[in-house]
Amino acid sequence: MKKTLCIVTMATISFMAIAQENNPTQGMSVSEDIFNISATIFVVILVMIFILSILKRMLDYRLKNKIADKGVSENIASSILQSDTKEDGAINIKWFSILAGIGIGLTIINYTLPLGIHSLAVMSFSIALSFLGYHYYLKQSTK
């Protein structure tokens, strides 16, 4: 619920900021400052997710070591210590596709200046296409 609320809030911030402008000739374009702030917030979110995933892996490693040291029964230890390497590879491909989609979107936006509502549409479509590519990758890898 918190993630959904955060995403909806972040998506509506740019539209609320447009409503505050006094220049009626600008229309539905997003000012460069708002775009830079939104991009900065997005990058900070990506960095925080990266840090949290590293912390999760470190804590899982420590948990596995403690389980091995305590001498827990073999059945329980094997069910907890079992790791799925196929899932780890899929996570890496997912992050690659997301970051590649963001990079392609930002490259397209750079060549189609000035920044406007079309910039947000380009980013949305490029990220959506990267998720679509990841979806097709998962379908092909399960066959």
Side-chain angles (χ1 to χ4, degrees):
M1 181 66 184
K2 290 181 183 179
K3 288 182 181 179
T4 306
L5 181 63
C6 184
I7 290 170
V8 170
T9 304
M10 295 301 291
T12 58
I13 285 176
S14 62
F15 294 114
M16 289 187 290
I18 290 172
Q20 300 295 324
E21 290 194 17
N22 294 328
N23 189 0
T25 60
Q26 195 169 12
M28 286 298 294
S29 65
V30 179
S31 70
E32 189 173 351
D33 292 335
I34 294 171
F35 186 79
N36 289 339
I37 290 170
S38 300
T40 303
I41 290 171
F42 183 72
V43 168
V44 167
I45 289 171
L46 281 178
V47 168
M48 294 305 293
I49 289 171
F50 177 73
I51 290 171
L52 287 175
S53 67
I54 288 177
L55 284 174
K56 180 182 180 282
R57 289 180 188 260
M58 287 173 48
L59 292 175
D60 285 345
Y61 177 75
R62 289 180 63 194
L63 177 66
K64 290 177 183 180
N65 281 342
K66 286 192 179 200
I67 287 173
D69 290 342
K70 294 289 183 183
V72 179
S73 69
E74 189 175 323
N75 293 337
I76 295 173
S78 66
S79 66
I80 292 174
L81 297 177
Q82 182 179 0
S83 65
D84 189 13
T85 57
K86 186 176 182 181
E87 183 179 313
D88 290 340
I91 290 172
N92 293 335
I93 297 295
K94 178 179 73 171
W95 277 104
F96 171 76
S97 67
I98 291 170
L99 293 175
I102 290 170
I104 291 169
L106 290 174
T107 303
I108 293 170
I109 288 171
N110 185 39
Y111 289 116
T112 59
L113 290 175
L115 298 174
I117 195 74
H118 74 280
S119 303
L120 297 175
V122 167
M123 284 302 295
S124 298
F125 283 123
S126 64
I127 293 172
L129 287 175
S130 67
F131 275 115
L132 183 65
Y134 174 66
H135 172 72
Y136 285 131
Y137 168 77
L138 287 179
K139 283 178 86 173
Q140 292 297 326
S141 66
T142 57
K143 288 184 178 180

